[in-house]
Amino acid sequence: MSRAHTALRRAGLGTALAATAVLTAAGVASAHVTVHPDSYAKGATDGALSFRVPDESDTASTTKVQLFLPTDHPLLGVLVSPHDGWTAKVTNTKLKTPVKTDDGTITDAVSEITWTGGKIAPGHYEDFDVAFGQLPDDTAQLTFKTLQTYSDGKVVRWIEEAAKGDEEPENPAPVLKLTAAGTTSATETRTASKTSAATSTSSASDSTARGLGVAGLVVGVLGLAAGAFAVVRSRRAR
């Protein structure tokens, strides 16, 4: 019985260690630069993208982030949101194929944004926000290659693209999927649901507050009436 018990304990320990290794590997694999939301409608206007940069080092901080925007399918009207502690340098590139819009022909677009001066500590992340005036409508996805520089000089190149059906590469580039116009993405659906729920909650709270207010007024009026009636009775009694 003792030998069997020992064997079972060893088997259980081995299984636990294997499971931990798998979960750890999954956690490391998922800790890469990503774009949020991960999908948008083709040709969408006046939107924003957030690029999440995690620091995966145990000892070094992230001190520089270089984001490369596609120029074969350019984003128009790009603006960079100020980020505390960081300075953003925006680089424009002349387009090989100008883009015709209702406001005229666009001949150049932002091709690179570099953030420096700040610091992302080990085990932390930061979101870098970029607004756009219009997304392209002639492609199914946009790839944003990114370089992440650490304080110890190491540079991680998030530039790999997975072919259709292949597993995710070791250092994948952030990818924004572009859906057909009029299609609502899962992210947008969740956002709309949260907004609707918040609105419903707010409306319910307002209705409750109004109801309580009316009830309070009624109680107050009845109280005044009761008081007046008591005064009249008192005078008649005297």
Side-chain angles (χ1 to χ4, degrees):
M1 291 296 293
S2 178
R3 291 181 179 178
H5 183 66
T6 300
L8 288 173
R9 288 188 60 185
R10 288 178 177 175
L13 179 60
T15 302
L17 290 174
T20 302
V22 170
L23 291 175
T24 302
V28 172
S30 63
H32 50 255
V33 178
T34 52
V35 59
H36 304 271
D38 58 4
S39 66
Y40 246 112
K42 292 182 178 180
T45 58
D46 300 326
L49 299 172
S50 183
F51 294 89
R52 178 161 297 176
V53 182
D55 189 293
E56 297 181 276
S57 174
D58 294 329
T59 57
S61 299
T62 297
T63 56
K64 182 179 180 180
V65 177
Q66 293 171 268
L67 177 70
F68 297 91
L69 284 68
T71 55
D72 51 347
H73 302 287
L75 281 71
L76 306 181
V78 170
L79 296 173
V80 181
S81 175
H83 200 68
D84 290 344
W86 295 83
T87 299
K89 178 184 177 182
V90 179
T91 302
N92 289 332
T93 296
K94 194 170 188 64
L95 300 175
K96 294 181 179 179
T97 305
V99 180
K100 295 182 178 180
T101 69
D102 295 337
D103 298 323
T105 301
I106 307 299
T107 58
D108 63 306
V110 174
S111 59
E112 180 183 346
I113 304 172
T114 301
W115 287 274
T116 56
K119 182 181 294 185
I120 306 175
H124 293 71
Y125 74 87
E126 289 202 28
D127 291 335
F128 297 87
D129 300 326
V130 176
F132 61 82
Q134 183 176 343
L135 293 177
D137 58 5
D138 57 351
T139 184
Q141 66 180 34
L142 297 174
T143 301
F144 299 90
K145 296 182 179 182
T146 308
L147 300 184
Q148 180 179 10
T149 302
Y150 287 88
S151 56
D152 60 2
K154 179 182 179 181
V155 178
V156 180
R157 302 169 62 84
W158 303 101
I159 62 173
E160 299 176 0
E161 300 179 55
K164 189 175 181 180
D166 288 351
E167 295 183 357
E168 184 178 72
E170 183 178 356
N171 295 314
V175 174
L176 176 69
K177 296 179 181 178
L178 298 181
T179 60
T183 302
T184 303
S185 69
T187 303
E188 294 168 334
T189 300
R190 287 194 296 271
T191 302
S193 298
K194 290 180 180 178
T195 302
S196 177
T199 302
S200 299
T201 301
S202 177
S203 298
S205 299
D206 290 342
S207 298
T208 301
R210 285 195 295 269
L212 290 174
V214 172
L217 288 174
V218 171
V219 171
V221 171
L222 291 176
L224 288 174
F229 181 71
V231 171
V232 172
R233 287 191 61 183
S234 178
R235 285 179 179 177
R236 287 180 178 177
R238 287 197 297 270

